[in-house]
Amino acid sequence: MLVTLFGASGLLGHDIVRQFTIGDRPAADQSNDNLTAPSSKDADLRDRQRIRDVIRASRPDWIILSAAYTDVDGCESNRDLAFAVNCDGAVNVAEAARDAGSRLLFVSTDYVFDGSKRSPYETTDARNPASVYGESKARAEERLLTILPEVCIARTSWLFGHGGKCFPATILKLASTRPELSVVNDQRGSPTFTPDLASALLQLCRASAHGIVHVTNSGNCTWYDFAKEIIRESGLATVVKPVTTAEFPRPARRPAYSVLSP
């Protein structure tokens, strides 16, 4: 399977690259695998012609698009950039994939929903984003389904992993210097470990998946629950205090409930 990955430098991208190098997959899978992973400097999603050149040169069976502008609060004050990367950039990739005869797997987000439900979101539920970031990804989903009806859109949530910026790393850094942390206890979702997600995405490619799928680790919790478990596992003595979203305002509205159905 020939794969071109956009987003190799991100937390998830690192683990997708690792899936091609760790050597724990069946030999039959490895022998026919090849990964092209241009950097964001080499293939800016906003550069339509460059994206077309990269895909034309690599001629992949599958393109995995995990690159995105993911600063949720930053998107609120940089709407044009958010849409240029997350929506228009995704369109550039989809059009190039269509012309090259390649399949596309687009990594999307639970933020395409507003969080007003109290039961897991189904793949068929209407998009209703509450933030610029969520809106840019929701509009991208809609446009990709028009350009490439066989696209696979993999929604996921609350990513964490090794060696990059993520919630556990932030909590541990803060806990090392503070006796107490305040963490919101009224936002609920499913933390998803990026090595698990990377493996699942490659399985979707191998299965020729299409349509919208939800891909998260099982279970759900609040950010407060997650932080408490991180501190417990670390052995630190930092106290974790639950607070409400109203007590911890941010520029972008987060979904209060964004658990995704299997």
Side-chain angles (χ1 to χ4, degrees):
M1 182 172 66
L2 305 181
V3 176
T4 295
L5 168 66
F6 294 101
S9 62
L11 191 67
L12 173 59
H14 278 298
D15 284 311
I16 294 173
V17 172
R18 193 172 293 119
Q19 287 288 322
F20 282 82
T21 60
I22 55 178
D24 66 349
R25 292 173 293 114
D29 288 347
Q30 297 180 47
S31 62
N32 295 317
D33 281 350
N34 183 65
L35 177 69
T36 300
S39 69
S40 57
K41 291 182 179 180
D42 291 333
D44 188 320
L45 297 183
R46 296 169 293 179
D47 187 337
R48 181 174 180 270
Q49 187 56 53
R50 179 57 184 157
I51 294 301
R52 297 180 74 85
D53 290 345
V54 168
I55 293 173
R56 188 182 297 116
S58 56
R59 305 296 296 186
D61 300 308
W62 275 92
I63 299 163
I64 299 177
L65 177 51
S66 66
Y69 178 35
T70 58
D71 181 348
V72 177
D73 289 328
C75 286
E76 292 297 308
S77 55
N78 293 282
R79 181 183 178 87
D80 288 347
L81 176 60
F83 272 80
V85 175
N86 295 344
C87 185
D88 297 339
V91 167
N92 289 340
V93 175
E95 290 178 341
R98 177 195 60 198
D99 295 346
S102 302
R103 298 291 307 280
L104 174 62
L105 189 153
F106 176 64
V107 180
S108 193
T109 174
D110 55 332
Y111 278 43
V112 301
F113 301 118
D114 63 10
S116 60
K117 282 187 73 174
R118 287 299 177 266
S119 60
Y121 279 94
E122 304 292 337
T123 58
T124 53
D125 283 336
R127 304 172 187 86
N128 189 30
S131 65
V132 171
Y133 170 68
E135 186 182 355
S136 68
K137 298 291 278 189
R139 300 293 84 80
E141 288 189 7
E142 293 168 351
R143 293 184 68 183
L144 297 194
L145 286 165
T146 299
I147 296 165
L148 277 176
E150 293 298 302
V151 66
C152 180
I153 295 172
R155 294 180 184 143
T156 190
S157 66
W158 293 27
L159 301 190
F160 72 99
H162 299 299
K165 184 179 179 181
C166 60
F167 185 74
T170 299
I171 289 296
L172 291 174
K173 181 178 180 180
L174 294 173
S176 67
T177 59
R178 299 183 186 180
E180 181 179 287
L181 297 177
S182 295
V183 183
V184 294
N185 195 34
D186 55 0
Q187 296 174 24
R188 181 171 292 274
S190 298
T192 301
F193 192 39
T194 50
D196 292 341
L197 178 58
S199 177
L201 295 182
L202 289 181
Q203 290 178 41
L204 288 171
C205 292
R206 294 188 192 287
S208 295
H210 64 276
I212 300 172
V213 295
H214 289 167
V215 191
T216 69
N217 283 125
S218 60
N220 62 81
C221 63
T222 68
W223 290 115
Y224 166 74
D225 296 331
F226 196 11
K228 280 194 68 176
E229 183 63 17
I230 292 164
I231 296 299
R232 187 188 70 79
E233 287 284 343
S234 72
L236 294 171
T238 305
V239 174
V240 183
K241 175 186 174 183
V243 296
T244 65
T245 298
E247 294 175 275
F248 198 75
R250 303 286 293 275
R253 179 184 161 196
R254 270 71 172 172
Y257 183 96
S258 62
V259 180
L260 301 177
S261 66

